[in-house]
Amino acid sequence: MHVPDGFIDAPVSVAAGVFAAGAVAEGLRGARRELDERTAPLAGLVAAFIFAVQMLNFPVAAGTSGHLMGGALAAILVGPYTAVLCLSVVLLLQGIFFADGGLTALGVNITVMGVVTVVVAYAVFRLLTGLLPRTRRSATASAFVAALVSVPASAAAFTLLYWIGGTTDIPIGKVFTAMVGVHVLIGIGEAIITALTVGAVLAVRPDLVHGVQGSLAAPLKLRIDGELVDAPAATRDPEPAPARRSTRGFWITGLVSAFLLAGVVSFYASANPDGLERVAADQGIDEKVEEHGAADSPLADYGVGDIANARLSGGLAGVIGVSATVVVGTGVFWVIRRRREEPGDAPRDRDHENA
C-alpha cells in the first residue's frame, strides 16, 4: 500500500512527515534498549527480508493483489521501536531507488505502513500472549491475529488521512469500505506469511524473537504416581541464563532466503495492482496522481534499465535492493547499538575486563 505523490495534499503530507520524523526519532531512542551485539545485525536482516517479501504480490481477488507490509513481523521479531526503523529504511530505499511510494508522500507511507501497523500489531500480540498459554503455538497464533488486524488498521489510517487531505472529492464512506474491505483479504495473506516466519524462527531460535523473550520457558515437571505434573512454584529453582549462541548461521540462512525470494521467486509474483491501486482506480482517487520524482532511476519499477530480459532485470533489481537494505539497515542498527552504552557505563565495563 505504497501511497504515490498526488493522493494527499501538501499540508497533510507535511504534517504526516513531521509525525513520521518524530516516530523515527522515538524509534532511535527506543531501539537503543532493544538492540545488542546479536540483534543489531539481525534487525538489518529483518529489514532486508521485508524488502524481499514485499516484492511478492499475491492475488486476493479478481484483478487485485496484495503484499506483505511487515510491521507485525518486524515488531514481533526485533521489537516495536526497531521495527519502525526497519520499515522506514525499507520505504526510504523503495522511494528513492525503485520509485515505489511517493517522495513527498514518504511521511504518509511511514505513518501508515511503518507506524500504525507496528503499534497495532505489537499491542495485539502482547495482549494475546499475555492471555494465552505461554507456548510456541500460542505465540504463532498471536502473530497471525496481530498481523491480520494490522493491515485493515493501516487502511483505515490511510482513509483518515485521505478524509483530511485527499486531492479528489470522493465520499469518504465509499473509500473506507473499499479500502478496509480489500485489505482484510490482504491481511489474511500477511497473517499467513507472518505466522509462518515467526513460527519458523521460534522453532530454531526462540531466543531471537523479541516478543516472547523469557516467556516460553517450560515449567519444571515432577513425576508423581507415574504422571508428570507442574512443580509447585516454591520448589522451582531459578533457571540459569542460557549461553549465548552464535547468530552467524541464522543470519546467513535468512540472507540467502531473502536473495532467493527477491531474485528468483519475485518473478512469479502477481502483476495485478495492489489493494490501494485498485481502490484508487475504481473510486477515482488517482485523478491527480503525480509522476514519481525517481521515475528515471535505473531501478524504477524493480527492474534494471537496459536489461531486456524481464526475469534477469527483475531478479537483479531484487538482489540489489536486498543488498542495499541489509547494508544500510545493519549499518544504522550497529551505530544505534554502539551508542546504547552511556559514557558513565564505560568505567564499569573496563573494571569488569580487568577483573
Side-chain angles (χ1 to χ4, degrees):
M1 190 173 61
H2 294 74
V3 181
D5 296 322
F7 278 22
I8 307 295
D9 64 21
V12 174
S13 295
V14 170
V18 172
F19 176 83
V24 169
E26 185 63 25
L28 289 170
R29 287 190 289 269
R32 295 177 189 174
R33 301 189 296 270
E34 294 174 344
L35 296 173
D36 56 29
E37 69 278 2
R38 297 185 311 155
T39 56
L42 290 177
L45 174 62
V46 168
F49 185 80
I50 289 173
F51 179 96
V53 181
Q54 283 195 0
M55 294 182 65
L56 309 180
N57 280 49
F58 48 85
V60 295
T64 307
S65 70
H67 62 73
L68 181 85
M69 290 192 188
L73 179 62
I76 295 167
L77 291 181
V78 295
Y81 294 100
T82 306
V84 170
L85 301 182
C86 284
L87 269 295
S88 298
V89 168
V90 171
L91 291 168
L92 179 63
L93 293 178
Q94 288 173 335
I96 293 177
F97 297 108
F98 297 89
D100 192 8
L103 296 179
T104 62
L106 180 61
V108 172
N109 283 313
I110 291 177
T111 298
V112 171
M113 296 178 62
V115 178
V116 173
T117 57
V118 168
V119 172
V120 171
Y122 197 69
V124 172
F125 181 80
R126 295 296 294 179
L127 174 63
L128 292 177
T129 52
L131 296 175
L132 297 174
R134 296 183 177 182
T135 64
R136 293 176 184 174
R137 183 174 298 178
S138 297
T140 302
S142 299
F144 181 95
V145 177
L148 175 61
V149 174
S150 70
V151 176
S154 178
F158 166 79
T159 305
L160 175 62
L161 292 178
Y162 183 81
W163 179 51
I164 299 172
T167 55
T168 55
D169 186 17
I170 307 297
I172 196 63
K174 294 176 61 177
V175 176
F176 178 83
T177 301
M179 283 293 295
V180 173
V182 71
H183 282 88
V184 167
L185 299 178
I186 295 173
I188 296 173
E190 175 112 8
I192 293 172
I193 295 171
T194 301
L196 288 175
T197 306
V198 171
V201 179
L202 285 173
V204 295
R205 291 299 302 267
D207 58 306
L208 298 180
V209 180
H210 180 278
V212 298
Q213 285 182 355
S215 66
L216 294 183
L220 181 64
K221 299 285 186 178
L222 296 178
R223 185 175 296 277
I224 300 178
D225 295 331
E227 295 183 2
L228 288 176
V229 298
D230 289 345
T235 67
R236 299 178 186 175
D237 295 327
E239 296 182 1
R244 292 262 174 161
R245 296 168 55 189
S246 172
T247 61
R248 180 178 299 176
F250 181 88
W251 192 88
I252 293 174
T253 301
L255 186 59
V256 170
S257 299
F259 279 132
L260 289 175
L261 291 172
V264 180
V265 181
S266 63
F267 181 77
Y268 302 98
S270 173
N272 290 329
D274 67 18
L276 175 59
E277 291 172 333
R278 171 58 66 185
V279 172
D282 290 345
Q283 302 296 329
I285 296 176
D286 59 355
E287 289 181 1
K288 296 185 179 180
V289 65
E290 300 173 4
E291 183 179 11
H292 200 286
D296 295 331
S297 168
L299 296 174
D301 298 323
Y302 298 94
V304 177
D306 300 327
I307 296 182
N309 185 291
R311 186 188 299 269
L312 179 60
S313 177
L316 183 57
V319 169
I320 293 172
V322 169
S323 301
T325 306
V326 76
V327 169
V328 174
T330 301
V332 169
F333 296 125
W334 185 254
V335 170
I336 295 172
R337 186 263 159 183
R338 296 286 293 179
R339 296 184 59 186
R340 178 183 180 185
E341 297 178 356
E342 298 179 357
D345 293 337
R348 182 172 62 249
D349 294 341
R350 288 196 294 268
D351 292 340
H352 177 73
E353 294 174 358
N354 295 331

